[in-house]
Amino acid sequence: MNTAHSLDNTRMSVVLDKHEKGAAAALVHLLQDVQSEFNYLPKDAIIAVADHLNVPLCKAYSVATFYKTFSLTPRGETIVKVCMGTSCHIRGASVVVEDLKAGLGIAPGETTEDMKYTVEVVNCVGACALAPVVIADDKYIPNVKPGAVMKRLEDI
Ligand code: FES
């Protein structure tokens, strides 16, 4: 995995400018915006956020590491989330994970070499009637049949 990313300061400035300087209460929101922009929280971005909001760096790090939705490691352009809640599990979510392993060559928690995809498993996403469910770039892919996930991914 490539971890040698330097921060794009122009993109970072656009994100920071959405939040008032010194507005410490915006910490989680700003970190979410950074993650939306970069798909993870680069180290330099966390430092910039702490500086912008005038919060201690250790506080920014503790929030960034507390929430499971934040990632401190680079992730792919498309985050593929496979629901492993009970309904999805019963209806074949494990097969979907195996299909993704075969199609992308990565296991949950990993990112493809070309940085296009990261696969994650998540708990129930509240769409059990559509099980098994995959979410790619916040788009729900319902009723994923065995062998179909790669084609469904390409279609979105
Ligand atoms: S268990 Fe997957 S959406 Fe509920």
Side-chain angles (χ1 to χ4, degrees):
M1 185 189 316
N2 181 7
T3 56
H5 291 259
S6 61
L7 188 63
D8 181 331
N9 287 322
T10 306
R11 287 166 66 199
M12 189 62 205
S13 292
V14 170
V15 175
L16 289 175
D17 287 347
K18 291 182 194 165
H19 298 271
E20 198 178 316
K21 270 186 170 265
L27 179 58
V28 172
H29 197 71
L30 180 45
L31 289 172
Q32 286 171 329
D33 287 350
V34 171
Q35 176 141 309
S36 292
E37 181 65 27
F38 297 101
N39 255 349
Y40 81 109
L41 298 177
K43 181 178 144 208
D44 289 347
I46 297 173
I47 293 169
V49 165
D51 184 55
H52 185 80
L53 298 180
N54 198 24
V55 298
L57 183 56
C58 61
K59 180 167 184 186
Y61 261 107
S62 89
V63 169
T65 53
F66 179 77
Y67 292 100
K68 263 179 80 178
T69 54
F70 291 134
S71 173
L72 299 183
T73 55
R75 300 192 301 168
E77 288 164 33
T78 299
I79 312 296
V80 181
K81 296 176 182 171
V82 182
C83 178
M84 290 297 276
T86 305
S87 295
C88 289
H89 184 70
I90 289 169
R91 295 187 190 164
S94 300
V95 176
V96 174
V97 169
E98 290 305 314
D99 287 346
L100 286 168
K101 274 187 197 168
L104 298 174
I106 55 172
E110 295 180 348
T111 299
T112 55
E113 285 284 326
D114 61 6
M115 300 301 292
K116 283 201 170 157
Y117 294 100
T118 294
V119 173
E120 297 178 344
V121 294
V122 295
N123 294 322
C124 180
V125 294
C128 303
L130 307 175
V133 176
V134 170
I135 303 171
D137 281 343
D138 296 327
K139 294 184 190 78
Y140 281 61
I141 305 173
N143 304 310
V144 181
K145 303 277 186 267
V149 70
M150 291 307 299
K151 172 81 173 80
R152 303 277 303 268
L153 272 182
E154 286 162 15
D155 289 346
I156 62 167

